[in-house]
Amino acid sequence: MGVGTVVTAGDALVDALREDIDRLLAAEPEVRADAPDSVHQMRVATRRLRSVLRSYGKLLVKQSAGAMGAELKWLAGLLGAARDAEVRADRFAALLAEHAEHADPAAVDAVTARLVRAERDRYRAAHDEVLTALDDARYRALREELSGWRTDPPLRHSRAAASATDVFGEVLRRDLDRVETLVRAEPTVDPRERVELLHDIRKSAKRLRYACEAAEQVLGEEAAERGGRAKKLQTVLGDHRDAVESHDAILHRATEAVAAGEDAGLYELLAAAEDAAAGRELSRYPATAAAVFGAVITG
């Protein structure tokens, strides 16, 4: 469907939901086979769909959309446990490859066991939980419900009959305002609260991005450009948070190592590298955030 051919907001939302639902359902066989990046793809599809439901929720029957959102949150949580362990294992392995070249082999092996192999074990356990859930009645009911929503979601027809351009433009303005409010608040918060506020900004940028991508068939290049800027902000703040969380996890493992009589020197080296990485990402934040507000959304 080309830009400008969608007449009603309901038509546009059905198209957007169908695309996201198809992504989610297509990822399931890959997750079952433990294909590379499959958990990530299914998690993104699940979170993306949930985000679109929240942004465009006024077009849907409230109770039905709320129930679907709760089930998607449950599924995303299961997938998230596996994905987070996968990301940490890969990140720790990359850090060791970069910074442990000249370290004592025995020390590298001990650190690898606590950082990389432990996370690989967590991933396998979490992936097993995902597979159990995919065979459970709860997921089967969700999949069946999603299949029905592909063509017949529970629209509030009085709202869904409105102009797609007007409704989608208003959604993007509202989601943009949410990001801007948080960005403006950021310089005023206590430094101890800053990391969590940056995380909230990242989540709001992600919601704006997905709302924009859902609106591309309606608003065209305008939505695509805004979504691209929101994605950059989401990525910068996501990389910052990953580095912060990795730094904290490494220091926690260092404490365990010291308690077991092991040397913490390599942990401290890796933690310092992650602290530096967090600082680099944070330095990119102001300009990336400012770019999100570079044009006014019409519609």
Side-chain angles (χ1 to χ4, degrees):
M1 184 176 296
V3 174
T5 62
V6 176
V7 177
T8 71
D11 290 338
L13 184 60
V14 169
D15 282 350
L17 291 176
R18 182 185 301 117
E19 186 174 337
D20 288 336
I21 290 168
D22 286 347
R23 282 195 189 98
L24 193 162
L25 297 179
E28 180 191 332
E30 299 296 302
V31 171
R32 289 182 179 277
D34 201 14
D37 206 40
S38 58
V39 170
H40 175 57
Q41 292 303 320
M42 191 172 189
R43 184 195 192 190
V44 168
T46 303
R47 296 172 78 175
R48 178 191 181 106
L49 179 56
R50 182 170 173 245
S51 184
V52 169
L53 291 182
R54 293 173 68 190
S55 289
Y56 295 93
K58 290 185 177 180
L59 295 172
L60 297 161
V61 175
K62 184 176 181 179
Q63 184 175 3
S64 298
M68 175 61 77
E71 291 305 281
L72 291 171
K73 182 179 180 179
W74 161 74
L75 179 60
L78 286 170
L79 294 164
R83 175 57 180 169
D84 289 347
E86 183 178 41
V87 168
R88 285 191 297 266
D90 290 344
R91 190 176 187 101
F92 293 153
L95 278 169
L96 283 163
E98 182 177 359
H99 297 285
E101 181 179 359
H102 302 296
D104 176 66
V108 173
D109 189 62
V111 174
T112 299
R114 288 192 183 276
L115 293 181
V116 181
R117 289 199 286 273
E119 294 297 341
R120 300 283 187 218
D121 290 343
R122 289 186 181 93
Y123 171 79
R124 284 189 288 272
H127 188 266
D128 287 345
E129 289 189 18
V130 170
L131 294 182
T132 298
L134 294 182
D135 289 330
D136 189 74
R138 183 175 183 178
Y139 175 74
R140 289 198 298 271
L142 172 59
R143 184 174 57 193
E144 183 176 352
E145 184 82 2
L146 285 170
S147 296
W149 277 47
R150 291 187 69 260
T151 55
D152 189 25
L155 295 173
R156 296 179 65 183
H157 293 289
S158 59
R159 293 181 180 270
S163 161
T165 301
D166 291 345
V167 172
F168 277 55
E170 177 58 32
V171 167
L172 297 200
R173 285 191 294 274
R174 186 180 66 236
D175 282 359
L176 179 63
D177 286 345
R178 181 180 294 104
V179 180
E180 186 171 13
T181 297
L182 292 170
V183 168
R184 289 187 182 279
E186 184 269 328
T188 69
V189 300
D190 186 292
R192 293 169 295 183
E193 300 173 1
R194 191 183 187 203
V195 170
E196 286 309 309
L197 180 56
L198 290 171
H199 184 48
D200 289 341
I201 293 171
R202 173 181 176 263
K203 289 189 292 185
S204 68
K206 180 167 61 175
R207 176 169 169 174
L208 173 62
R209 169 198 170 186
Y210 291 152
C212 286
E213 290 174 355
E216 285 184 22
Q217 292 288 354
V218 177
L219 301 177
E221 184 60 31
E222 181 181 9
E225 183 179 353
R226 182 79 64 182
R229 294 177 182 181
K231 181 180 179 180
K232 288 179 182 178
L233 177 57
Q234 172 197 338
T235 299
V236 165
L237 292 180
D239 289 345
H240 170 259
R241 188 169 182 86
D242 285 349
V244 169
E245 291 184 341
S246 177
H247 170 269
D248 292 347
I250 290 167
L251 290 183
H252 179 71
R253 302 291 191 277
T255 300
E256 295 176 346
V258 170
E262 300 169 16
D263 182 73
L266 184 52
Y267 292 96
E268 292 168 357
L269 178 65
L270 299 180
E274 288 294 55
D275 190 49
R280 287 193 298 272
E281 295 303 329
L282 197 56
S283 71
R284 299 172 58 199
Y285 159 70
T288 310
V292 174
F293 313 110
V296 177
I297 295 173
T298 60

